[in-house]
Amino acid sequence: MPSQYTVGVDEVTVDDPFWSPWIERNREVTIEYQYEQLEESGTLENFRRAIEGKSGGFQGMWFQDSDAYKWLEAASYELAKADDPDLRERVDEVIDLVARAQEDSGYLNTYFQLVEPDNRWTNLNIMHELYCAGHLIEAAVAHHEATGETALLDVAVAFADHIDDTFGDEVDGVPGHEGIELALVRLYRVTDEERYLDLAQYFVDLRGHDDRLQWELEHSAAIGGASWDDGALIPAEGGGSLLLDDEGEYVGAYAQAQAPVREQEAVEGHSVRAMYLYAGVADLLAERDDAELRAALDRLWANMTEKRMYVTGGIGSAHRHEGFTEDYDLPNESAYAETCAAVGSVFWTQRLFELDPDPAYADLVERTLYNGFLAGVGMDGEEFFYVNPLASDGDHHRSGWFTCACCPPNAARLFASLGQYCYSTAGGELYVTQYVGSHLSTAVDGTAVELDQESALPWDGEVTLDIEADGTVPVSLRIPEWAADATVTVDGEEVDHDGSGFVRLERDWGGERVELTLEQTAEFVAAHPAVEADAGRLAVERGPLVYCAEAVDNERPLHHYAVDETGEVEASHDAGRLDGVTVLDVDATVPDPDGWDGELYRPVDETERENTDLELVPYYAWDNRDPGAMAVWYRRA
């Protein structure tokens, strides 16, 4: 069965005033920098030692192989867009290491090959063997699609065959960290081997039925120096702790194994694991109908977006287990909101759109891309947030690399494949889902289409599209949820739209120009009353961007400011600040400092407040200048 994903990175070329500098930094700085980190962290050395048949000497986290695989995936996406001899040489070098480290059986995991060769597939919950295999397969598919070569794909196929031969026969179990599920569907789509789809189905169906996860926890020694602490298993080098119930029994929620997927009611546990699992389920649904699985995804997405998601699109509020807690528990300064979780949310939500082209899905992809994800990457391309709080006292900063370095290469592969999220051909229509300047060359139900897009987002709402096609093609344009008003014209003639979230245009396209004007106004937003952290507070959005206040832009401590929601908001573009941003000045008040000398407390009626402005910049841009406090939510005046 052909994939529903028919718009690939090789068919979309991004040329956008906002996104192109990020993508160019990713290509020219980040990918090279991350290759150097693979060397410095010992990731590539682990493969060399495995090739030489050595034992011991493993460096890094036990899932360190996955960093190399994600880097390969990102680099392959870049090779799909333009052949870079230096990058190709790097890619070929890493692929050669990976291929030569693989055993004759197809097995490949340098931690077990070097450290615990007799314990393979014995601790699926903790040891990430299937997680690493998933990232290998994803990298192999990306490289094959980019180059047409099979060197890495052959490695992935041999490993997938080994896994298929092992599970359901010698071993029954599911991974603690998901990722293999979506990878197997991607492998099926390039090989047409049904057994890979069956194996993905096996892992999805067994989850929540598998007693191995509990057994492994009870019988695990200190894995890599891991230890029990306050009722949870803490990996020695960081990472998440495992969720137990009040009696200390493992309930599976940390790894989304608290119930079969079809019965799950709420997003639980480690947020990245959840996103990868649900993205895999969505991929499976694109190939095989399953009403119960589909209903489960609908419930889970609704729970996440309505009760467990930050205004930035970030997810996962708890540091302890890097994940979800309970409905409306969304603290700001202690928010976790891992960058990888934002990436995973984009993966899952885009796949949901492919199943059902609902504009709400595309709206969330946009919110997450511009806010929850983009904040995780510094403007130099060499520093990253693992954790993305919505308030800071000034001591939270990006780092160049991490002991658990999952986020930097995850960011790299999303930047490198951004074109995949701008358009969709689901259901035999062309959807323009993200307004990012780009050129699209694709086919819709066999009809060739060429589309050129120019976009002024996120600073201005002007978008133009020039469309040509060999026949009649329906084109649906998303009207973002934030657009206060929207005007659509075709060659200057205005087109009515019904407020459904899409404008559908169907005609023989012969170079017509479509113009959208999406009105951007700053909007004050409040959180659900059950969100204790935001009670009596508001946030500010403009277009797709969430804004924040930084101490560097404001004279008074941020906690002094109370925003007047009835006041004016002035928007002005500052080309010299933060690579060029639209700055917002909102009416606010601050305490009058007079009369406080020698007093700690005073009657309220003896205090005054002064009118002032609070200056805001986009949330994604914070912590790129002098250190200082930051806040997304402000007291209401």
Side-chain angles (χ1 to χ4, degrees), residues 355-610:
L355 294 175
D356 175 17
D358 186 329
Y361 296 137
D363 285 336
L364 179 57
V365 169
E366 179 183 64
R367 177 179 294 272
T368 307
L369 283 173
Y370 280 100
N371 302 286
F373 161 68
L374 198 56
V377 185
M379 289 182 169
D380 61 0
E382 294 185 356
E383 293 188 326
F384 309 87
F385 278 144
Y386 197 109
V387 177
N388 292 275
L390 279 72
S392 171
D393 61 6
D395 63 356
H396 184 71
H397 307 294
R398 295 180 182 86
S399 298
W401 203 245
F402 305 91
T403 302
C404 175
C406 52
C407 293
N410 236 351
R413 65 177 180 149
L414 183 52
F415 276 128
S417 61
L418 182 66
Q420 292 188 34
Y421 304 96
C422 299
Y423 305 96
S424 170
T425 54
E429 297 193 17
L430 175 59
Y431 290 90
V432 182
T433 55
Q434 304 302 328
Y435 294 114
V436 174
S438 52
H439 174 76
L440 167 69
S441 178
T442 191
V444 179
D445 271 358
T447 301
V449 181
E450 301 284 332
L451 183 151
D452 286 294
Q453 178 181 172
E454 294 182 5
S455 171
L457 262 64
W459 315 123
D460 190 84
E462 299 296 326
V463 179
T464 63
L465 303 105
D466 295 307
I467 308 173
E468 293 190 11
D470 290 345
T472 301
V473 172
V475 178
S476 290
L477 314 175
R478 178 176 64 97
I479 304 300
E481 60 178 344
W482 50 259
D485 191 22
T487 302
V488 181
T489 65
V490 179
D491 285 344
E493 183 177 343
E494 188 167 346
V495 176
D496 293 334
H497 54 94
D498 58 9
S500 65
F502 281 114
V503 176
R504 190 175 189 273
L505 308 171
E506 185 170 6
R507 64 189 66 206
D508 290 330
W509 297 97
E512 287 83 358
R513 169 159 289 193
V514 180
E515 296 177 291
L516 286 80
T517 300
L518 305 170
E519 184 180 340
Q520 291 188 345
T521 59
E523 183 176 19
F524 298 117
V525 297
H528 190 286
V531 181
E532 182 179 356
D534 299 331
R537 295 180 177 272
L538 57 80
V540 183
E541 300 177 343
R542 182 179 183 272
L545 298 175
V546 175
Y547 275 73
C548 72
E550 284 197 272
V552 68
D553 296 314
N554 296 281
E555 295 181 357
R556 302 282 288 270
L558 296 185
H559 71 271
H560 282 198
Y561 292 87
V563 170
D564 181 1
E565 62 201 78
T566 67
E568 298 293 324
V569 179
E570 180 181 343
S572 58
H573 197 74
D574 187 341
R577 193 184 318 191
L578 295 165
D579 290 348
V581 294
T582 293
V583 177
L584 302 183
D585 286 292
V586 301
D587 289 343
T589 65
V590 293
D592 184 345
D594 291 343
W596 283 97
D597 289 346
E599 294 193 63
L600 184 58
Y601 303 102
R602 296 169 63 191
V604 171
D605 59 9
E606 295 179 13
T607 64
E608 300 290 339
R609 295 189 67 84
E610 300 174 342

Side-chain angles (χ1 to χ4, degrees), residues 283-302:
D283 271 347
L284 189 60
L285 286 169
E287 310 298 342
R288 293 177 172 174
D289 291 335
D290 188 317
E292 289 184 333
L293 276 179
R294 183 58 219 259
L297 288 192
D298 289 343
R299 289 194 305 272
L300 293 163
W301 194 81

Side-chain angles (χ1 to χ4, degrees), residues 14-27 418 436-437:
V14 174
D15 183 13
D16 182 82
F18 179 79
W19 285 103
S20 288
W22 292 93
I23 292 170
E24 289 167 9
R25 276 194 296 267
N26 187 62
R27 180 178 62 249
L418 182 66
V436 174

Side-chain angles (χ1 to χ4, degrees), residues 60-71:
M61 302 290 282
W62 55 87
F63 44 85
Q64 198 94 336
D65 291 2
S66 64
D67 295 340
Y69 301 147
K70 281 183 281 188
W71 180 86

Side-chain angles (χ1 to χ4, degrees), residues 36-355:
E36 295 169 359
Q37 295 301 311
L38 293 177
E39 283 286 16
E40 292 181 16
S41 66
T43 304
L44 299 184
E45 183 62 21
N46 290 335
F47 286 98
R48 296 187 185 105
R49 291 183 65 80
I51 291 168
E52 295 167 2
K54 295 182 178 179
S55 62
F58 180 87
Q59 298 180 60
M61 302 290 282
W62 55 87
F63 44 85
Q64 198 94 336
D65 291 2
S66 64
D67 295 340
Y69 301 147
K70 281 183 281 188
W71 180 86
L72 280 171
E73 184 180 352
S76 296
Y77 291 141
E78 292 299 343
L79 291 178
K81 291 179 279 188
D83 189 32
D84 179 333
D86 292 337
L87 181 59
R88 176 176 285 274
E89 183 178 353
R90 294 273 201 229
V91 168
D92 289 346
E93 171 200 345
V94 176
I95 290 175
D96 181 64
L97 289 176
V98 171
R100 290 196 291 136
Q102 186 171 38
E103 297 182 353
D104 292 342
S105 67
Y107 185 86
L108 177 57
N109 185 288
T110 65
Y111 173 83
F112 280 94
Q113 288 169 265
L114 295 174
V115 181
E116 296 188 65
D118 296 330
N119 289 330
R120 300 171 187 187
W121 309 127
T122 60
N123 198 325
L124 301 176
N125 189 50
I126 302 297
M127 296 310 295
H128 289 58
E129 285 166 280
L130 290 169
Y131 167 82
C132 290
H135 280 303
L136 168 60
I137 293 169
E138 287 193 90
V141 171
H143 182 260
H144 173 65
E145 291 180 336
T147 67
E149 298 169 6
T150 63
L152 191 58
L153 187 66
D154 290 343
V155 175
V157 165
F159 198 6
D161 289 347
H162 171 81
I163 295 169
D164 187 42
D165 291 341
T166 301
F167 281 81
D169 183 10
E170 299 176 31
V171 175
D172 253 326
V174 298
H177 198 313
E178 301 92 331
I180 187 67
E181 300 85 355
L182 67 90
L184 286 167
V185 180
R186 291 188 68 179
L187 187 61
Y188 157 72
R189 287 171 176 162
V190 297
T191 63
D192 203 32
E193 290 288 348
E194 193 81 15
R195 67 180 182 277
Y196 301 140
L197 199 59
D198 292 340
L199 187 56
Q201 182 91 54
Y202 162 84
F203 286 127
V204 169
D205 287 346
L206 189 59
R207 188 160 226 93
H209 296 285
D210 179 23
D211 294 333
R212 282 177 57 92
L213 296 182
Q214 169 66 20
W215 183 91
E216 288 164 5
L217 282 178
E218 293 173 349
H219 293 79
S220 287
I223 303 298
S227 60
W228 287 97
D229 177 39
D230 191 26
L233 186 64
I234 311 296
E237 298 294 340
S241 59
L242 297 164
L243 295 184
L244 307 177
D245 63 19
D246 293 339
E247 287 73 42
E249 294 295 324
Y250 179 63
V251 294
Y254 175 69
Q256 297 74 50
Q258 72 276 13
V261 176
R262 290 173 175 79
E263 300 173 13
Q264 292 183 18
E265 298 289 338
V267 289
E268 300 280 2
H270 190 277
S271 54
V272 181
R273 298 173 189 233
M275 295 303 98
Y276 287 1
L277 171 62
Y278 302 141
V281 173
D283 271 347
L284 189 60
L285 286 169
E287 310 298 342
R288 293 177 172 174
D289 291 335
D290 188 317
E292 289 184 333
L293 276 179
R294 183 58 219 259
L297 288 192
D298 289 343
R299 289 194 305 272
L300 293 163
W301 194 81
N303 173 254
M304 181 181 79
T305 58
E306 296 172 10
K307 299 178 180 179
R308 300 190 176 190
M309 186 181 75
Y310 286 98
V311 69
T312 59
I315 53 174
S317 55
H319 282 242
R320 178 172 174 76
H321 63 275
E322 300 181 319
F324 300 103
T325 54
E326 58 189 28
D327 293 349
Y328 306 113
D329 179 31
L330 296 167
N332 292 310
E333 191 163 2
S334 64
Y336 203 71
E338 184 179 337
T339 300
C340 280
V343 172
S345 174
V346 171
F347 292 168
W348 179 30
T349 305
Q350 180 69 19
R351 285 163 165 81
L352 287 174
F353 184 90
E354 299 290 339
L355 294 175

